[in-house]
Amino acid sequence: MFIGIDDTDSERGLCTTYLAAVLMERLKPLGEIVGRPKLIRLNPCARYKTRGNAALSFQLDSDRPDEVRELALKTLLELSDFSGTNTNPGLVIADEVTERMKAFYRRAVTEILEISEARRLLDLEGIWYRGFKKGRGLIGALASVGSDLPDFTYELIAYRERGRWGTSRKIDEESVWRADALTYPMTWDTVDHHNNRIVFAPHSGDPVLFGIRGSDPQAIMQAFKMIKSEPVERSVLYLTNQGTDAHILAGEIGSVRESQSYRLHGFVAEPARAIAKGHLFFPLQDGSARINCAAFEPTKNFRGVVSLLAAGDELEVFGSVRDGTVNLEKINVLQLAGQVELSNPLCPSCGRRMESAGRGQGYRCRRCKTREQGRVQHVVPRSLEPGYYEVPPCARRHLSKPLIRISGDLAQSVHLAR
Ligand code: ATP
């Protein structure tokens, strides 16, 4: 049985991953969990997401399907925040994962879908499901079940004791920095060195204490054991599409669509401009089209890189299109434009800079009485190097592939944000 759930929490509390964790434990007497549960992130531009647009699924081997369905339903009803205006739970239990379901996942991570599309496919495939209120969670629940992960990472989520929900989290920060130092780069995004903060724990009232992301379950467990904190009620190691760029489509500037995420090639048309609140914008252009790219204030030191771009620089940009603007997640500087400046010539005798001899009369050296006709061009050295640049861990989107995951595969240089 492939069990998928989504849209059970609200800004006020609870968490679909927690519901899945509790459900997996309760289902133990009825069967065996096969493989690892999946924490699947869907289109980050989806309008009704609470936080990170997560959906959960896992596989259960059981010969008591009726009891499984009943228990799953009971647990969903118990651990969903039905009072949330935007909470529309969905529960999907399928017998198999078909090609159409896989295709639905790929659309859910890159496009915006309608609830009716999920219902249609569920009916077509004859899948058992329950949707509550608007049933929007059926989109995520079905997509999570259908997810196939050509690339994947892991996240271990530790959950808080119920009595502590809503209170401030007790985590020994020293131990977190030590755990990161020992396990990076097999774990990442636990801390943000440049911005000097711990980034692996939420601040909301939900049951999550923290999450450790990485490529190697052993390193993740090692980090987990090192971290000192308030008691952990339970923890689950999920397989996930986080950090894989699953949302990124190859695209062209002229044909991008709103609420989709792309890798786009082009040339910087003008240097970046800062607007209020520290957001930076620059236009990117290819032969026929132009689009604005943004490095918003939360991307912190990444804005320093963007501010060094000059007109003519050849780039690839990665990010989502919102309100016609690419929200940058990373850039690849392919080629820097040679920037040329004009200056007065140097005196051929004494080497001093010459001065204008008057309008249209060239340049002269007062001391040596030498003359030159025109100004001279020289190349301005650039303080930016070609290569990949990314937003820092504190601004990373769940789905964005961190450069540490691709640095080994690339010929170009990679400037890691850490
Ligand atoms: P959390 O991260 O705290 O679990 P969330 O950010 O995942 O919360 P949800 O409460 O799951 O937010 O709400 C997201 C809603 O958007 C769900 O109902 C889900 O089915 C729906 N959804 C997911 N992907 C898409 C998509 N591509 N198009 C339309 N709706 C989507």
Side-chain angles (χ1 to χ4, degrees), residues 106-120:
R106 283 193 284 276
R107 288 185 61 213
V109 77
T110 54
E111 299 173 27
I112 300 294
L113 303 179
E114 299 293 329
I115 305 169
S116 56
E117 293 178 85
R119 290 189 190 275
R120 209 175 308 130

Side-chain angles (χ1 to χ4, degrees), residues 351-387:
R352 286 170 195 258
R353 182 113 13 233
M354 300 170 94
E355 62 184 31
S356 169
R359 216 191 162 133
Q361 297 186 45
Y363 297 84
R364 65 170 180 206
C365 175
R366 255 182 216 272
R367 279 207 328 195
C368 311
K369 309 288 182 233
T370 50
R371 290 187 90 93
E372 292 285 337
Q373 270 316 301
R375 300 184 87 193
V376 287
Q377 285 192 345
H378 59 96
V379 175
V380 184
R382 300 285 304 272
S383 43
L384 188 66
E385 283 172 24

Side-chain angles (χ1 to χ4, degrees), residues 38-51:
K38 288 194 283 187
L39 163 56
I40 299 299
R41 300 284 176 179
L42 299 169
N43 188 342
C45 304
R47 207 168 129 212
Y48 296 104
K49 66 179 184 175
T50 312
R51 282 177 290 265

Side-chain angles (χ1 to χ4, degrees), residues 195-216:
N195 296 292
N196 194 26
R197 55 169 119 138
I198 279 165
V199 292
F200 81 145
H203 298 284
S204 41
D206 62 77
V208 173
L209 179 57
F210 56 73
I212 306 171
R213 290 158 188 223
S215 56
D216 176 3

